[in-house]
Amino acid sequence: MQQFICWLFLASLASTSAESQGVYISQAWSGGFHGHVTLSPSQDLHGWEIHVKFSKPIDSLEVWTAKVAAVSSDKTEYTLTNKDYDQDIRGGSELQIDFNGHMSGDTAPTATLNGGGGSSQTSAPPGGSATQAPATQAPVTSAPQTGGSSNLNAHPNTKFDYAKALKLSILFFDAQRSGRLPSNNPIPWRSDSAVNDNGDGHDLSGGWYDAGDHVKFNLPQATATHVLAWGLEKFKDAYQASGQLDMMYDMLRTPLDYFLKCWQPDRQVYWVQVGNGEIDHGYWGRPEDMHMSRPAYKVTAGSPGSDVAGNTAAALAVGSLVYKDKDASYSAKLLAAAKSLYAFAKAHPGIYSNSVPEAKNFYGSSGWEDEMCEAAGAMYKVTKDQQYLNDAKGYDKGGAGWAYSWDAKNAGCQLLLWEATHEGKYKGKVEEFVNSYDYGGSVPITPCGLSWRDKWGSNGYAAGASTIAVLAAADGIGGDKFKKLALRNIDYMLGENRQHFSYVIGFGSNFPKKPHHRAASCAPGYCANAGQDSPNQINGALVGGPGRNDDYEDKRDDYIKNEVSVISNGVFQTAVAGLYHFAINNQLPPPPAPKC
């Protein structure tokens, strides 16, 4: 590898959307601007340095994926160097460097990319103009936030770039963070919010916002965390090969740390929701600007919720497993909390949304046994304590799952029981579930090939079945048949459909611009109207999905097809990680022939 140095010169000031020769300015406001440059070298790099020359003094420059190493005395030149986690850039891969500049005035700069020894090509985002950049010291391309071609850097065994899909999905979860954000926050349009969240004075800040709103619902949040940690356990090599392992570990700590706050074992209280859905949905704006009441809701021995408590115990348990070799102390803390929370859930069975009626209209639970079965299976996997396995067998009701989602865990429970026992009855139920999402099964399939369980988040249901399919295939169930089901659904979401449209924001060049997401749709001082693109691109977000006949419109107020959520992205990301794992191990079959 070699060190890479390039020079960026910001030229005369111009309009907000103008850009030229490699640096893209996407936003401006009185006293500042936001922009980015994407490094895409043709050869492997080990360490890099960027010199940014401004056309006038800049008071300060905020950068998230680089260090500000030096500033000239006149504040017109900033030297940026890599951080430890992003010093290595593979040839052909990309690193987007976002920045916020603070200066006098209210117009945004344009930029040029200059140097010597190679060539650089830029392509303009919608509404801009593309220009040929002068030579640079190492061959590098700079692209707009769309990420260019969806299969430019795809693995030879895949049609789409699953490594990029993993990277983008992690960024989505970073955009959902609540509370005080870490110094390495990679989302320039997000900052601290809801820092005073509490329950009876107990700190409940942190965690993830659920979807396009700002409520923290622990049932879907715990489901997403568990399935993401399960995917990291099974497909760690996919995160390593994509260069996303450290970012994945960093991402998972947000909900895990939050769950540790929510569980008060000394009081036998588990906080399950922060924010009232009705009040929250009456506000459309940035989370940083919220001023409404944010009540917190809990389950206790007298008001039980073993579904949400069990689901969280599963997330903590598998979290402890994946952190065991990385941070033994943290792993032990997670496991201790998982054990005590599981014991609380087991001792006090009940449906949480009966105890917390404020959750019923949003995430009303249909039962608790499936969550407790999956929790017991996860606890057995981590501890090998026979009592947990006995519990899991008792909680399993034997029926194949309707879905694998925030409210349906039968398929996950039965897969964990298969892993633990290798009894045929559990394998048969897993097969029955996955096969129901394939051709000839009970779940409809759209003309272009998406398994379509329900209109509410159709992509999420297909991704949930695909996650079980890849996890089962890794356990020796289903083989290429299950892998092909996951390929068909995930590739559909990434662009293998009639419109060649990616339902993942930032993936490819044709994706949603108007997701139902408050923070993305609002900038300081204004929110986009129904017909405007969101001012902030929430990269990696998987929108709800198409209708039964592949019909879809990029329309913010159609929350059925355009809302994003942590649970949908959680199952999507683990399915992608599974496919990428099989690809890099030469175990992935050819993708099914396109239907459209």
Side-chain angles (χ1 to χ4, degrees):
M1 287 188 174
Q2 64 174 3
Q3 188 178 54
F4 172 65
I5 302 176
C6 71
W7 292 83
L8 308 180
F9 296 96
L10 290 183
S12 318
L13 299 183
S15 64
T16 302
S17 62
E19 73 293 311
S20 65
Q21 302 189 21
V23 184
Y24 294 89
I25 307 301
S26 57
Q27 244 182 294
W29 55 90
S30 180
F33 60 91
H34 170 69
H36 77 275
V37 62
T38 301
L39 300 185
S40 185
S42 61
Q43 54 193 315
D44 292 350
L45 305 179
H46 180 69
W48 47 267
E49 182 177 295
I50 295 177
H51 295 254
V52 186
K53 180 70 175 178
F54 292 94
S55 55
K56 70 175 188 177
I58 302 298
D59 296 332
S60 64
L61 194 70
E62 296 176 87
V63 191
W64 292 268
T65 51
K67 302 173 187 175
V68 178
V71 183
S72 64
S73 58
D74 63 356
K75 291 192 173 182
T76 61
E77 184 174 319
Y78 284 71
T79 302
L80 310 180
T81 60
N82 59 270
K83 291 193 173 183
D84 290 342
Y85 68 83
D86 62 11
Q87 65 178 340
D88 294 329
I89 307 178
R90 292 181 301 150
S93 64
E94 295 179 352
L95 175 68
Q96 181 170 302
I97 303 164
D98 288 273
F99 53 81
N100 279 352
H102 300 278
M103 62 182 185
S104 59
D106 56 5
T107 52
T110 57
T112 58
L113 177 61
N114 295 320
S119 63
S120 175
Q121 176 74 39
T122 69
S123 57
S129 60
T131 62
Q132 175 69 39
T136 61
Q137 213 168 340
V140 58
T141 59
S142 181
Q145 285 192 33
T146 59
S149 171
S150 58
N151 60 359
L152 182 63
N153 298 311
H155 188 275
N157 295 338
T158 69
K159 180 169 185 176
F160 293 98
D161 186 353
Y162 295 147
K164 180 160 189 172
L166 288 176
K167 175 182 178 179
L168 290 173
S169 184
I170 289 171
L171 289 174
F172 163 74
F173 286 102
D174 289 342
Q176 294 298 102
R177 282 170 166 163
S178 179
R180 298 195 185 280
L181 302 190
S183 59
N184 66 345
N185 168 41
I187 312 300
W189 44 272
R190 284 299 327 281
S191 56
D192 295 351
S193 63
V195 297
N196 295 316
D197 280 356
N198 73 91
D200 298 339
H202 174 72
D203 177 24
L204 295 176
S205 61
W208 289 327
Y209 295 124
D210 174 59
D213 55 8
H214 303 132
V215 184
K216 295 185 293 193
F217 292 105
N218 283 28
L219 183 58
Q221 187 173 179
T223 303
T225 305
H226 174 234
V227 76
L228 285 162
W230 196 355
L232 179 56
E233 174 214 343
K234 286 286 191 182
F235 310 124
K236 184 177 180 180
D237 59 350
Y239 288 99
Q240 290 171 319
S242 62
Q244 298 302 305
L245 184 60
D246 287 344
M247 282 65 86
M248 180 60 174
Y249 277 121
D250 183 64
M251 182 200 85
L252 277 176
R253 286 196 73 129
T254 295
L256 292 172
D257 286 350
Y258 176 66
F259 296 145
L260 291 174
K261 287 183 178 182
C262 290
W263 172 225
Q264 295 183 273
D266 54 332
R267 295 182 58 201
Q268 292 289 280
V269 166
Y270 179 54
W271 297 93
V272 300
Q273 180 178 326
V274 178
N276 178 284
E278 304 294 343
I279 296 173
D280 181 89
H281 287 194
Y283 166 77
W284 191 280
R286 302 164 67 236
E288 293 81 1
D289 299 331
M290 289 189 298
H291 299 293
M292 67 281 203
S293 169
R294 289 179 59 80
Y297 305 92
K298 62 193 174 187
V299 295
T300 64
S303 300
S306 48
D307 38 16
V308 64
N311 214 165
T312 308
L316 291 167
V318 183
S320 75
L321 185 62
V322 298
Y323 278 95
K324 188 173 183 179
D325 294 332
K326 185 172 180 64
D327 187 336
S329 175
Y330 186 60
S331 171
K333 187 176 183 180
L334 293 173
L335 183 56
K339 288 179 176 179
S340 59
L341 184 56
Y342 177 89
F344 166 79
K346 180 180 177 180
H348 309 293
I351 295 174
Y352 93 104
S353 49
N354 290 341
S355 299
V356 181
E358 291 81 0
K360 193 164 290 187
N361 288 338
F362 303 93
Y363 289 98
S365 176
S366 62
W368 55 267
E369 290 92 342
D370 54 336
E371 277 86 10
M372 285 300 293
C373 177
E374 192 175 52
M379 295 296 295
Y380 176 75
K381 174 168 60 177
V382 175
T383 67
K384 303 306 179 190
D385 183 331
Q386 184 65 35
Q387 183 57 55
Y388 292 124
L389 180 57
N390 294 340
D391 287 352
K393 291 178 177 180
Y395 289 129
D396 175 40
K397 299 307 177 185
W402 180 83
Y404 186 64
S405 70
W406 61 269
D407 189 40
K409 307 298 191 310
N410 282 2
C413 146
Q414 289 154 356
L415 183 55
L416 288 169
L417 282 168
W418 158 254
E419 287 184 0
T421 67
H422 275 229
E423 292 181 17
K425 63 180 179 179
Y426 301 122
K427 178 182 178 182
K429 290 303 177 183
V430 173
E431 291 172 330
E432 183 180 344
F433 169 73
V434 176
N435 287 335
S436 72
Y437 278 74
D438 212 343
Y439 289 99
S442 59
V443 176
I445 297 177
T446 70
C448 290
L450 182 75
S451 299
W452 198 88
R453 165 53 82 189
D454 192 75
K455 69 177 183 178
W456 291 89
S458 55
N459 281 334
Y461 284 111
S466 299
T467 277
I468 294 297
V470 296
L471 289 169
D475 284 341
I477 303 176
D480 283 356
K481 184 176 189 292
F482 280 17
K483 296 172 190 176
K484 287 181 178 180
L485 179 142
L487 277 167
R488 170 170 55 80
N489 283 300
I490 297 303
D491 284 2
Y492 179 103
M493 297 172 207
L494 295 177
E496 190 63 81
N497 51 60
R498 182 179 292 115
Q499 299 85 6
H500 302 292
F501 181 84
S502 168
Y503 288 90
V504 178
I505 296 173
F507 191 89
S509 58
N510 185 21
F511 53 82
K513 306 297 195 302
K514 304 176 184 70
H516 186 87
H517 191 274
R518 287 160 175 77
S521 72
C522 298
Y526 85 100
C527 292
N529 63 36
Q532 292 176 318
D533 291 353
S534 295
N536 305 309
Q537 186 167 298
I538 183 163
N539 283 326
L542 175 72
V543 299
R548 172 68 180 81
N549 294 305
D550 300 302
D551 49 294
Y552 172 81
E553 185 178 356
D554 184 10
K555 189 177 179 183
R556 186 174 294 112
D557 57 3
D558 183 356
Y559 48 83
I560 294 176
K561 293 179 179 176
N562 286 284
E563 186 146 25
V564 304
S565 69
V566 295
I567 178 56
S568 289
N569 259 85
V571 288
F572 166 78
Q573 184 174 317
T574 290
V576 171
L579 291 175
Y580 195 49
H581 158 81
F582 293 127
I584 62 179
N585 288 284
N586 296 311
Q587 298 171 351
L588 193 66
K595 295 293 181 181
C596 294

